[in-house]
Amino acid sequence: MDDGAITNYLDVDYKKAVNFYDERAKSSKRWYRGLSVYLIVVSAILTPIVAFAPDNVCWRIVAAALSTSIVISTGLLAHLKCHENWLSYRGFWDALERERRLFQTSAGKYLSAENKSALFVESIEAILTKEGADFYSRHARGEEQKEEREKRE
């Protein structure tokens, strides 16, 4: 692999992959943190409302709306797998960056490699392939568990 091809790979394909995982990790983290904080705050607010609010329709509506929002937020966290995706995306981003550093410093497996550029591309593509399989496995597992629960019911 010549210098132009590896430069192009680093500038286009590698950069695109790193940016994708970085943005997805940030987005998943925001969703996870936002929904988690919302659940904590609303749960804390709901308890005194239920325990101490005067017995009238307005407070019942507020309590019902907050309870419903807790169920929806919990469902979104479970369905979107924000926490799992955040950790997975960040882990793969770290793996891509680590591979680039090893390649650029000729360390690790690149120290004695005959064709460092080809080895780098193969390693990056293996990381990307593994992430794709892990993502589908993580999300398909949830669908399979849902189908099993529905069969039992």
Side-chain angles (χ1 to χ4, degrees):
M1 180 173 260
D2 65 3
D3 288 342
I6 192 63
T7 301
N8 185 53
Y9 184 82
L10 280 166
D11 291 343
V12 178
D13 296 330
Y14 175 80
K15 189 174 185 177
K16 181 178 172 183
V18 168
N19 288 338
F20 172 83
Y21 289 110
D22 189 39
E23 290 304 314
R24 288 294 179 104
K26 289 176 185 176
S27 175
S28 294
K29 181 180 178 181
R30 279 191 298 271
W31 274 100
Y32 172 70
R33 292 255 171 101
L35 288 170
S36 296
V37 168
Y38 178 81
L39 286 169
I40 292 166
V41 170
V42 171
S43 298
I45 290 170
L46 185 59
T47 303
I49 288 174
V50 170
F52 303 115
D55 192 25
N56 67 34
V57 175
C58 183
W59 286 108
R60 286 184 186 169
I61 292 171
V62 169
L66 291 175
S67 297
T68 302
S69 74
I70 289 173
V71 171
I72 291 169
S73 297
T74 303
L76 285 172
L77 273 176
H79 180 72
L80 298 176
K81 299 184 183 296
C82 302
H83 190 244
E84 295 92 335
N85 286 340
W86 165 34
L87 297 177
S88 177
Y89 288 140
R90 186 54 64 202
F92 282 102
W93 179 88
D94 287 341
L96 291 171
E97 284 295 301
R98 183 175 41 258
E99 202 66 37
R100 180 190 54 81
R101 286 190 306 272
L102 289 172
F103 169 70
Q104 289 181 331
T105 59
S106 295
K109 62 186 174 187
Y110 300 100
L111 184 62
S112 60
E114 285 184 33
N115 190 340
K116 295 175 185 180
S117 297
L119 180 59
F120 173 72
V121 172
E122 289 170 4
S123 298
I124 294 300
E125 293 301 318
I127 291 169
L128 296 175
T129 300
K130 181 179 181 340
E131 194 284 328
D134 287 355
F135 179 86
Y136 289 115
S137 171
R138 187 169 58 250
H139 288 273
R141 199 171 346 144
E143 292 299 316
E144 290 169 3
Q145 290 171 350
K146 180 182 173 186
E147 289 172 7
E148 288 176 21
R149 280 193 305 268
E150 289 173 354
K151 287 178 186 176
R152 286 181 279 186
E153 296 173 351

